[in-house]
Amino acid sequence: MRTLLIILLFAVSLPAGSVDDMTVGRWQIVTHSTSANRTHITEKEILGLKADHTLDITILVSLKKDEHFIKDLQFRATGIWKRHTTTLVLVIQKIEVPFAKEVSRTITKRSMEALAAVYQSRLTESPIRINTITLLTDKKMTIINEKGVSTSYTKYLPSPLKQK
């Protein structure tokens, strides 16, 4: 009984919203595809949900077709988030200018601009996103957006070699 009372007092003394919210953390999804013209595309999205209710989204896009390639074309956005039971609301407030880690000489400026416009529109066309959380564990989060599209994120764990 004494232990239960101590636990209850501790739980009541915590500020509202500070109880371990499993949505806080860095989440990722990686997709691989090949377009009709045989371009191999890898997209990696990292969604960072911080305890102070700010968020950051990083989208990395790599393309390869024959000798043409773009490595890690990067799009970043920041904003705020709020969760109420199973509803997760993301609000994008700022989008940074994209940049690429490496681009082959055979890629034209017009191609880069067109590609950047496609991915930037994903962030600018719906700056307010209302999602329903259908699964949330310490390692996986699945959400369904307003259009009914389901996205399954896994907890992002950077490579130990990159942390040095």
Side-chain angles (χ1 to χ4, degrees):
M1 183 68 172
R2 188 176 192 181
T3 305
L4 179 59
L5 182 59
I6 291 171
I7 291 171
L8 285 174
L9 287 174
F10 178 72
V12 170
S13 69
L14 290 173
S18 71
V19 178
D20 285 338
D21 186 348
M22 290 183 4
T23 53
V24 172
R26 297 185 62 73
W27 301 92
Q28 74 173 352
I29 183 169
V30 179
T31 57
H32 302 279
S33 61
T34 302
S35 70
N37 68 358
R38 297 177 293 119
T39 301
H40 300 286
I41 305 163
T42 301
E43 296 179 32
K44 181 177 187 177
E45 178 182 332
I46 302 169
L47 172 63
L49 301 174
K50 300 176 188 163
D52 65 357
H53 291 275
T54 60
L55 68 85
D56 59 82
I57 300 171
T58 302
I59 301 173
L60 300 169
V61 181
S62 294
L63 294 100
K64 177 146 180 47
K65 180 181 179 188
D66 304 323
E67 73 278 354
H68 313 290
F69 68 89
I70 299 171
K71 184 175 181 183
D72 290 342
L73 180 59
Q74 188 172 113
F75 301 89
R76 288 182 179 235
T78 56
I80 57 175
W81 69 277
K82 180 83 173 163
R83 176 180 162 209
H84 180 70
T85 56
T86 61
T87 303
L88 176 64
V89 179
L90 308 174
V91 180
I92 296 173
Q93 297 174 319
K94 181 182 173 189
I95 300 171
E96 294 179 16
V97 176
F99 68 92
K101 193 174 195 177
E102 190 177 350
V103 179
S104 66
R105 291 185 206 160
T106 57
I107 302 289
T108 66
K109 181 181 177 187
R110 188 164 24 136
S111 294
M112 285 290 291
E113 289 171 347
L115 182 63
V118 167
Y119 283 93
Q120 276 191 296
S121 70
R122 285 190 187 180
L123 297 169
T124 57
E125 286 180 0
S126 59
I128 300 172
R129 301 169 182 198
I130 301 172
N131 306 283
T132 301
I133 300 171
T134 58
L135 174 70
L136 182 60
T137 68
D138 59 339
K139 294 181 182 170
K140 189 170 184 176
M141 176 172 62
T142 302
I143 59 173
I144 298 177
N145 68 16
E146 295 169 305
K147 296 177 183 176
V149 177
S150 179
T151 305
S152 292
Y153 292 93
T154 56
K155 198 62 115 168
Y156 177 70
L157 300 171
S159 167
L161 298 176
K162 291 184 181 180
Q163 292 178 348
K164 291 183 180 182

